[in-house]
Amino acid sequence: MHESLVDVAGKKIFVAETGDGPAVLLLHGGGPGASGVSNYSRNIAELAKEYRVIVPDLPGYGRSTKGVDRSDPFGYLADHIRGLLDRLGLDRAHLVGNSYGGACALRLALDTPDRVDRMVLMGPGGIGTTRALPTPGLNSLLDYYTGDGPSRPKLERFIRTYLVFNAAEVPASVIDSRYQDSIDPEVVANPPLTRPTSVRTVWRTDFTRDRRLARLPVPTLVLWGAADKVNRPSGGRLLADRMPNCDLYLAANTGHWVQWERAGLFNSLCADFLAGRR
């Protein structure tokens, strides 16, 4: 893969690229220690057989500049990914987003639908968040940097208990790597994913309150793990009921990390959907 740091509005965005064909951006989730290439380690090579795969580290994560606008986090992420498209000379691209990355993709599509060809969302954030209390999994994620601060046992509990359906499938090396990334001093000082601090922020981070959702023309595939303990699977139905061009696939025996837990299924569905084959 080709790696680079791209300047977007004065911030550095780390990008890994491989493959040829229509451009697909893979946007990772917001858990502690997350990054683009690590979150999509089981998908990049397969999708690169047919697409130009672009994998950024979202602002606040990995090798990208740290810090996120907490008053409008989804908008901040979307603005920078749109800026990345500009710097890469892309008028349009497919967007694939998991969790926090799914919220970024959806916000970008709502703000500028002309920039998005097709979209795949896996357990996206910001769906029905004002309609129910946070899940135990989301609380575990949001509490990682609070209290006694980050630790490997704390991260392992989040990953094995809440992130995936089958804890035994996650090797210790994945947890070790994510833990090291999660304790970057810049991240500890300014975590990119925190609890909303105002009613306005809470409201603007629930997409089901956004009237534009019912008019969004972008063909969208929503994939949701039936056993997701971070973002409720019922969010898939909320999106399918509101979006005019939304297909919904509920994956059995799967948690929040569909693209990793069910890589074969995800790779097939994603490649076919983006190509218009389903």
Side-chain angles (χ1 to χ4, degrees), residues 213-251:
L213 202 60
R215 304 189 303 271
L216 186 63
V218 177
T220 302
L221 172 63
V222 173
L223 302 175
W224 219 299
D228 192 332
K229 297 178 182 177
V230 177
N231 292 334
R232 290 181 176 86
S234 57
R237 188 72 260 171
L238 290 175
L239 284 177
D241 286 343
R242 286 163 173 78
M243 298 175 69
N245 297 306
C246 178
D247 292 334
L248 174 62
Y249 190 105
L250 198 63

Coordinates of all heavy atoms in Angstrom, one line a residue, residues 213-251:
L213 N -32.8 13.2 6.0 CA -32.6 11.7 5.8 C -33.7 11.1 4.9 O -33.4 10.3 4.1 CB -32.7 11.0 7.2 CG -32.1 9.7 7.4 CD1 -30.6 9.7 7.1 CD2 -32.4 9.1 8.8
A214 N -34.9 11.7 5.0 CA -36.0 11.1 4.1 C -35.8 11.5 2.7 O -36.5 11.0 1.8 CB -37.3 11.7 4.7
R215 N -34.9 12.4 2.4 CA -34.7 12.9 1.0 C -33.4 12.5 0.4 O -33.1 12.8 -0.7 CB -34.9 14.4 0.9 CG -36.2 15.0 1.4 CD -36.3 16.5 1.1 NE -35.2 17.2 1.6 CZ -35.1 17.8 2.9 NH1 -36.2 17.6 3.7 NH2 -34.1 18.5 3.3
L216 N -32.6 11.7 1.2 CA -31.3 11.4 0.8 C -31.3 10.4 -0.4 O -31.7 9.3 -0.3 CB -30.5 10.8 1.9 CG -29.0 10.5 1.7 CD1 -28.2 11.8 1.4 CD2 -28.4 9.8 2.9
P217 N -30.8 10.8 -1.6 CA -30.9 10.0 -2.8 C -29.8 8.9 -2.8 O -29.9 8.0 -3.7 CB -30.7 11.0 -3.9 CG -29.8 12.0 -3.3 CD -30.2 12.1 -1.9
V218 N -28.8 8.9 -2.0 CA -27.7 8.0 -2.2 C -28.1 6.6 -1.9 O -28.6 6.3 -0.8 CB -26.5 8.4 -1.2 CG1 -25.4 7.4 -1.3 CG2 -26.1 9.8 -1.5
P219 N -27.9 5.6 -2.8 CA -28.2 4.2 -2.6 C -27.3 3.7 -1.4 O -26.1 3.9 -1.4 CB -27.8 3.5 -3.9 CG -27.8 4.6 -4.9 CD -27.4 5.8 -4.2
T220 N -27.9 3.1 -0.4 CA -27.2 2.8 0.9 C -27.5 1.4 1.3 O -28.7 0.9 1.2 CB -27.7 3.7 2.0 OG1 -27.4 5.1 1.6 CG2 -27.0 3.4 3.3
L221 N -26.5 0.7 1.7 CA -26.6 -0.7 2.3 C -26.2 -0.5 3.7 O -25.1 -0.1 4.1 CB -25.7 -1.7 1.6 CG -25.6 -3.1 2.2 CD1 -27.0 -3.8 2.2 CD2 -24.5 -3.9 1.5
V222 N -27.1 -0.9 4.6 CA -26.9 -0.9 6.1 C -26.7 -2.4 6.5 O -27.6 -3.2 6.3 CB -28.0 -0.3 6.9 CG1 -27.8 -0.4 8.4 CG2 -28.2 1.2 6.5
L223 N -25.5 -2.6 7.1 CA -25.2 -3.9 7.7 C -25.1 -3.8 9.2 O -24.5 -2.9 9.7 CB -23.9 -4.5 7.1 CG -23.7 -4.6 5.6 CD1 -22.3 -5.0 5.3 CD2 -24.7 -5.6 5.1
W224 N -25.8 -4.7 9.9 CA -25.8 -4.5 11.3 C -25.7 -5.9 12.0 O -26.4 -6.9 11.6 CB -27.1 -3.9 11.8 CG -26.9 -2.9 13.0 CD1 -26.4 -3.2 14.2 CD2 -27.2 -1.5 13.0 NE1 -26.3 -2.1 15.0 CE2 -26.8 -1.0 14.3 CE3 -27.7 -0.6 12.0 CZ2 -26.9 0.3 14.6 CZ3 -27.8 0.7 12.4 CH2 -27.4 1.2 13.7
G225 N -24.9 -6.1 12.9 CA -24.8 -7.3 13.7 C -26.0 -7.5 14.6 O -26.3 -6.6 15.4
A226 N -26.6 -8.6 14.5 CA -27.8 -8.9 15.3 C -27.5 -8.9 16.8 O -28.4 -8.7 17.6 CB -28.4 -10.2 14.9
A227 N -26.2 -9.1 17.1 CA -25.8 -9.2 18.6 C -25.0 -7.9 18.9 O -24.2 -8.0 19.9 CB -25.1 -10.5 18.8
D228 N -25.1 -6.9 18.2 CA -24.4 -5.6 18.5 C -24.7 -5.1 19.9 O -25.9 -4.8 20.1 CB -24.7 -4.6 17.4 CG -23.8 -3.4 17.4 OD1 -23.2 -3.1 18.5 OD2 -23.6 -2.7 16.3
K229 N -23.7 -4.9 20.7 CA -23.9 -4.4 22.1 C -23.5 -3.0 22.2 O -23.5 -2.4 23.3 CB -23.2 -5.3 23.1 CG -23.7 -6.7 23.1 CD -22.8 -7.5 24.1 CE -23.3 -9.0 24.2 NZ -22.4 -9.8 25.1
V230 N -23.0 -2.4 21.1 CA -22.6 -1.0 21.2 C -23.6 -0.1 20.6 O -24.1 0.9 21.3 CB -21.2 -0.8 20.4 CG1 -20.8 0.7 20.4 CG2 -20.1 -1.6 21.0
N231 N -24.0 -0.3 19.4 CA -25.2 0.4 18.8 C -26.3 -0.6 18.5 O -26.1 -1.6 17.9 CB -24.7 1.1 17.5 CG -23.7 2.2 17.7 OD1 -23.7 2.9 18.8 ND2 -22.9 2.5 16.8
R232 N -27.5 -0.2 19.0 CA -28.6 -1.2 18.9 C -28.9 -1.5 17.5 O -29.1 -0.7 16.6 CB -29.8 -0.6 19.6 CG -29.7 -0.4 21.1 CD -31.0 0.2 21.7 NE -30.9 0.2 23.2 CZ -30.3 1.2 23.9 NH1 -29.8 2.3 23.2 NH2 -30.3 1.2 25.2
P233 N -29.1 -2.9 17.2 CA -29.5 -3.3 15.9 C -30.8 -2.7 15.4 O -31.1 -2.6 14.2 CB -29.7 -4.8 16.1 CG -28.7 -5.2 17.2 CD -28.8 -4.0 18.1
S234 N -31.7 -2.3 16.3 CA -32.9 -1.6 15.9 C -32.7 -0.3 15.1 O -33.6 0.2 14.4 CB -33.8 -1.3 17.2 OG -33.1 -0.5 18.1
G235 N -31.5 0.2 15.2 CA -31.1 1.4 14.4 C -31.2 1.1 13.0 O -31.4 2.0 12.2
G236 N -30.9 -0.1 12.6 CA -31.0 -0.5 11.1 C -32.4 -0.3 10.6 O -32.6 0.3 9.5
R237 N -33.4 -0.7 11.4 CA -34.8 -0.5 11.0 C -35.2 1.0 10.9 O -35.9 1.4 10.1 CB -35.7 -1.2 12.0 CG -37.2 -1.3 11.6 CD -37.4 -2.3 10.5 NE -37.6 -1.6 9.2 CZ -37.6 -2.2 8.0 NH1 -37.5 -3.5 8.0 NH2 -37.8 -1.6 6.9
L238 N -34.6 1.8 11.9 CA -34.9 3.2 11.9 C -34.4 3.9 10.6 O -35.1 4.7 10.0 CB -34.2 3.9 13.1 CG -34.8 3.6 14.5 CD1 -33.9 4.2 15.6 CD2 -36.2 4.1 14.6
L239 N -33.2 3.4 10.1 CA -32.7 4.0 8.9 C -33.5 3.5 7.7 O -33.8 4.3 6.8 CB -31.2 3.6 8.7 CG -30.2 4.3 9.6 CD1 -28.8 3.8 9.4 CD2 -30.2 5.8 9.3
A240 N -33.8 2.2 7.6 CA -34.5 1.7 6.5 C -35.9 2.3 6.4 O -36.4 2.5 5.3 CB -34.6 0.1 6.7
D241 N -36.5 2.6 7.5 CA -37.9 3.3 7.5 C -37.8 4.7 7.0 O -38.8 5.2 6.5 CB -38.5 3.2 8.9 CG -39.0 1.8 9.2 OD1 -39.1 1.0 8.3 OD2 -39.2 1.5 10.4
R242 N -36.7 5.4 7.2 CA -36.6 6.8 6.9 C -35.9 7.1 5.5 O -36.2 8.1 4.9 CB -35.8 7.5 8.0 CG -36.7 7.7 9.3 CD -35.8 8.0 10.5 NE -36.6 8.3 11.6 CZ -37.2 7.4 12.4 NH1 -37.1 6.1 12.1 NH2 -37.9 7.8 13.4
M243 N -35.0 6.2 5.1 CA -34.2 6.5 3.9 C -34.9 5.9 2.7 O -35.3 4.7 2.7 CB -32.8 6.0 4.0 CG -32.0 6.6 5.2 SD -30.4 5.9 5.5 CE -29.5 6.4 4.0
P244 N -35.0 6.6 1.6 CA -35.7 6.1 0.4 C -35.0 5.1 -0.4 O -35.7 4.3 -1.1 CB -35.9 7.4 -0.4 CG -34.8 8.3 0.0 CD -34.6 8.1 1.4
N245 N -33.7 5.0 -0.3 CA -32.9 4.0 -1.1 C -32.0 3.2 -0.2 O -30.8 3.1 -0.4 CB -32.1 4.7 -2.1 CG -33.0 5.5 -3.1 OD1 -33.9 4.9 -3.7 ND2 -32.7 6.8 -3.3
C246 N -32.6 2.6 0.9 CA -31.8 1.9 1.9 C -32.1 0.4 1.9 O -33.3 0.0 2.2 CB -32.0 2.5 3.2 SG -31.1 1.7 4.6
D247 N -31.1 -0.4 1.7 CA -31.3 -1.9 1.9 C -30.7 -2.2 3.3 O -29.7 -1.6 3.7 CB -30.5 -2.7 0.9 CG -31.1 -2.5 -0.5 OD1 -32.3 -2.3 -0.6 OD2 -30.4 -2.7 -1.5
L248 N -31.3 -3.2 4.0 CA -30.9 -3.5 5.4 C -30.5 -5.0 5.4 O -31.3 -5.8 5.0 CB -32.0 -3.2 6.4 CG -31.8 -3.6 7.8 CD1 -30.5 -3.0 8.4 CD2 -33.0 -3.3 8.6
Y249 N -29.4 -5.3 6.0 CA -29.0 -6.7 6.2 C -28.6 -6.9 7.6 O -27.7 -6.2 8.1 CB -27.8 -7.1 5.3 CG -27.5 -8.6 5.2 CD1 -27.8 -9.3 4.1 CD2 -26.8 -9.2 6.3 CE1 -27.5 -10.7 4.0 CE2 -26.5 -10.5 6.2 CZ -26.9 -11.3 5.1 OH -26.6 -12.6 5.1
L250 N -29.2 -7.8 8.3 CA -29.0 -8.1 9.7 C -28.2 -9.4 9.8 O -28.6 -10.5 9.3 CB -30.3 -8.2 10.5 CG -30.2 -8.2 12.0 CD1 -29.7 -6.8 12.4 CD2 -31.6 -8.4 12.6
A251 N -27.0 -9.4 10.3 CA -26.1 -10.5 10.3 C -26.2 -11.3 11.6 O -25.9 -10.7 12.7 CB -24.6 -10.1 10.1

